């Protein structure tokens, strides 16, 4: 993504003009937009004209609209972003207040105007404009008859193709049917790899399955064979990718990616939660109390919390991130389109590793419960 212009007032109101260059940029834009924001972009509108003879003609015209965002829809499979809301500026083809849907497109400029830009929004723009944040890792998780071909970026895990086919069981006298079924399945997987993965661009391709998978002798794969890393996983479902990324042997292949740091941070959190009592907490109340003490070493937070329609909710999480950073703590904003973010979202979306054990944070809750019980009994 390119940042073409930026004009921010002292009260943090203002506008930025951006140009998306890759599909993943649409995900970043989706995270930037909130209800009430203004988006100015070129679009197409079908208009009807009445001729002098009274007949009606229809034509598709290009125009520039500014709409007030009410609803956004993001298609993660195709990385397509649509914005819907009323028109707020005079326009020849669209009346004031008339609703219109803008489909943002690659390589087409648009402008976002906000009443208040916060630090998380600026972080999102900086991340999107950083050329080092690109899709340089691919992954295929598979089992007999099921495969998911994925692209792993710094923000997303996108399933480019899901392959599902029936493979006959290996039974006595039916071995040929089983082998033919597997051959057909592997051929589909290989064609999917060649179609969806730019082998000359990615740094590594993780190939994970419950058993051992051999690379077929195909020209394009053999040429890039050094990029393929075989790994073990429990199944061919997308969620199995998370266990692969956590394997120590995978870390060296992910060392230069943002995903690696997030995977490692989440793994440290689970380790502390299970082994080091009082050093790991999740949920707003506990994490907020730990932050009030300046005790947070590492904060993990899911990006969907910053898309809340409730402005007050968004602001409290922005303040949390800013406070942890100000006190010297590390912060990781995990994308819910990435396996790490999906997992964190299941734990309320916010978690923390502390500098030191603080089991009394939970004791505070117990005390409050006891006080509530006593009060109810009086």
């Amino acid at each position: 993504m390119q940042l073409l212009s930026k004009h921010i007032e002292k009260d943090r109101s203002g506008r930025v003009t951006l140009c998306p260059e890759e599909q993943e940029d649409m995900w970043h834009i989706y995270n930037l937009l909130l209800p009430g924001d203004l988006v100015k972009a070129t679009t197409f509108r079908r208009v009807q004209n009445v001729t002098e003879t009274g007949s009606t003609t229809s034509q598709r015209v290009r125009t520039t609209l500014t709409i007030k965002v009410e609803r956004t829809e993001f298609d993660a499979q195709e990385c397509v972003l649509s914005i819907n809301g009323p028109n707020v500026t005079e326009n020849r083809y669209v009346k004031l207040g008339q609703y219109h849907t803008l489909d943002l497109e690659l390589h087409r400029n648009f402008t976002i105007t906000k009443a208040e830009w916060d630090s998380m929004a600026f972080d999102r723009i900086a991340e999107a404009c950083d050329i080092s944040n690109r899709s340089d890792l691919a992954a295929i998780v598979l089992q007999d008859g099921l495969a998911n071909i994925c692209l792993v970026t710094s923000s997303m895990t996108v399933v480019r193709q899901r392959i599902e086919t029936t493979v006959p069981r290996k039974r006595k006298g039916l071995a040929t049917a089983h082998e033919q079924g597997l051959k057909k399945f592997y051929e589909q997987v290989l064609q999917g790899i060649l179609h969806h993965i730019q082998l000359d661009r990615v740094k590594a391709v993780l190939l994970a399955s419950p058993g051992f998978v051999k690379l077929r002798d195909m020209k394009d794969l053999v040429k890039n064979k050094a990029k393929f890393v075989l790994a073990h996983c429990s199944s061919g479902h997308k969620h199995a990718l998370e266990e692969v990324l956590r394997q120590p042997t995978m870390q060296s292949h992910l060392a230069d990616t943002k995903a690696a740091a997030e995977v490692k941070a989440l793994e440290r959190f689970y380790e502390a939660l299970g082994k080091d009592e009082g050093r790991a907490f999740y949920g707003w109340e506990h994490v907020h109390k730990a932050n009030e003490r300046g005790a947070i070493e590492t904060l993990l937070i899911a990006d969907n919390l910053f898309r809340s329609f409730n402005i007050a909710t968004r602001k409290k999480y922005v303040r949390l991130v800013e406070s942890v950073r100000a006190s010297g703590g590390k912060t990781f904003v995990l994308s819910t389109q990435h396996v790490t973010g999906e997992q964190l979202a299941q734990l309320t979306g916010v978690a923390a590793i502390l500098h030191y054990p603080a089991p009394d944070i939970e004791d505070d809750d117990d005390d409050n419960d006891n006080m509530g019980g006593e009060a109810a009994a009086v």
Side-chain angles (χ1 to χ4, degrees):
M1 185 133 69
Q2 290 186 49
L3 175 60
L4 301 179
S5 67
K6 176 179 174 182
H7 181 81
I8 307 297
E9 303 289 351
K10 290 183 179 180
D11 63 357
R12 290 192 174 186
S13 65
R15 64 184 182 274
V16 298
T17 299
L18 302 165
C19 181
E21 298 178 305
E22 297 190 352
Q23 288 184 318
E24 187 185 356
D25 291 339
M26 296 302 177
W27 169 249
H28 291 295
I29 298 165
Y30 173 63
N31 280 277
L32 281 175
L33 294 176
L34 292 172
D37 292 348
L38 303 181
V39 176
K40 180 180 179 181
T42 57
T43 185
F44 290 91
R45 181 85 174 184
R46 184 162 294 281
V47 298
Q48 291 184 337
N49 299 310
V50 179
T51 66
E52 294 179 357
T53 61
S55 61
T56 302
T57 61
S58 177
Q59 66 177 132
R60 195 164 176 256
V61 297
R62 183 174 179 175
T63 186
T64 299
L65 285 182
T66 301
I67 68 170
K68 186 175 183 179
V69 178
E70 284 194 2
R71 187 176 73 252
T72 56
E73 294 182 0
F74 178 72
D75 184 338
Q77 183 71 25
E78 300 297 330
C79 289
V80 174
L81 176 62
S82 297
I83 307 163
N84 182 263
N87 175 40
V88 296
T89 58
E90 293 285 350
N91 185 276
R92 178 181 175 185
Y93 304 107
V94 184
K95 297 178 181 179
L96 281 173
Q98 187 174 355
Y99 278 72
H100 185 85
T101 297
L102 287 176
D103 293 322
L104 298 188
E105 300 179 13
L106 295 180
H107 310 295
R108 183 170 292 176
N109 303 352
F110 67 94
T111 300
I112 302 174
T113 301
K114 287 178 175 286
E116 182 180 354
W117 289 84
D118 57 42
S119 60
M120 301 309 299
F122 289 132
D123 284 353
R124 175 68 63 173
I125 291 175
E127 180 182 349
C129 294
D130 184 353
I131 61 173
S132 65
N133 290 326
R134 294 293 184 264
S135 175
D136 56 6
L137 176 67
I140 303 97
V141 286
L142 70 159
Q143 64 189 60
D144 287 358
L146 174 64
N148 281 281
I149 299 174
C150 310
L151 290 178
V152 183
T153 72
S154 61
S155 303
M156 305 173 67
T157 300
V158 181
V159 178
R160 300 305 298 167
Q161 184 179 3
R162 177 184 171 90
I163 299 170
E164 196 165 5
T165 186
T166 301
V167 176
R169 292 186 178 181
K170 190 174 184 180
R171 296 176 181 174
K172 188 175 181 180
L174 296 176
T176 302
H178 174 75
E179 291 172 359
Q180 289 180 344
L182 276 181
K183 182 178 179 181
K184 179 181 177 182
F185 169 64
Y186 285 137
E187 186 62 34
Q188 289 179 302
V189 173
L190 289 169
Q191 291 303 318
I193 292 173
L194 295 174
H195 181 69
H196 294 289
I197 300 174
Q198 298 181 37
L199 294 172
D200 58 342
R201 176 180 174 182
V202 296
K203 293 180 180 178
V205 181
L206 302 182
L207 189 60
S209 73
F212 181 73
V213 178
K214 293 183 179 179
L215 296 180
R216 293 281 298 279
D217 188 19
M218 293 183 66
K219 182 179 179 181
D220 289 326
L221 295 188
V222 172
K223 182 174 64 175
N224 294 278
K225 190 174 181 179
K227 294 184 178 182
F228 281 79
V229 182
L230 300 183
H232 182 273
C233 66
S234 60
S235 74
H237 294 280
K238 177 187 173 184
H239 64 75
L241 180 57
E242 193 273 335
E243 65 186 65
V244 177
L245 296 178
R246 291 177 61 184
Q247 294 176 15
T249 54
M250 294 298 105
Q251 293 302 311
S252 60
H253 298 285
L254 300 174
D256 296 331
T257 70
K258 177 175 176 281
E262 294 178 352
V263 168
K264 191 171 183 179
L266 189 61
E267 187 175 4
R268 284 186 57 234
F269 166 75
Y270 279 117
E271 187 176 332
L273 188 65
K275 297 181 180 180
D276 201 347
E277 185 178 354
R279 271 205 69 203
F281 291 95
Y282 62 89
W284 167 256
E285 291 298 330
H286 289 164
V287 173
H288 177 59
K289 288 176 182 176
N291 181 55
E292 287 182 327
R293 302 184 185 188
I296 296 180
E297 171 199 301
T298 302
L299 175 70
L300 302 169
I301 190 164
D303 63 3
N304 64 333
L305 296 176
F306 301 110
R307 294 196 301 273
S308 173
F309 283 10
N310 187 313
I311 301 300
T313 298
R314 175 185 171 91
K315 285 185 175 181
K316 81 174 184 179
Y317 286 110
V318 171
R319 287 195 296 268
L320 174 64
V321 171
E322 292 176 342
S323 177
V324 171
R325 289 174 176 173
S327 63
K330 295 180 180 179
T331 61
F332 292 91
V333 180
L334 275 57
S335 169
T336 50
Q337 289 294 317
H338 194 279
V339 287
T340 53
E342 287 179 354
Q343 196 164 6
L344 181 61
Q346 295 174 3
L347 290 177
T348 74
V350 60
I353 305 171
L354 309 191
H355 289 290
Y356 51 83
D360 55 316
I361 287 179
E362 283 187 319
D363 294 340
D364 290 345
D365 288 345
D366 294 337
D367 292 342
N368 290 335
D369 290 342
N370 291 334
M371 289 176 65
E374 292 172 2
V378 173

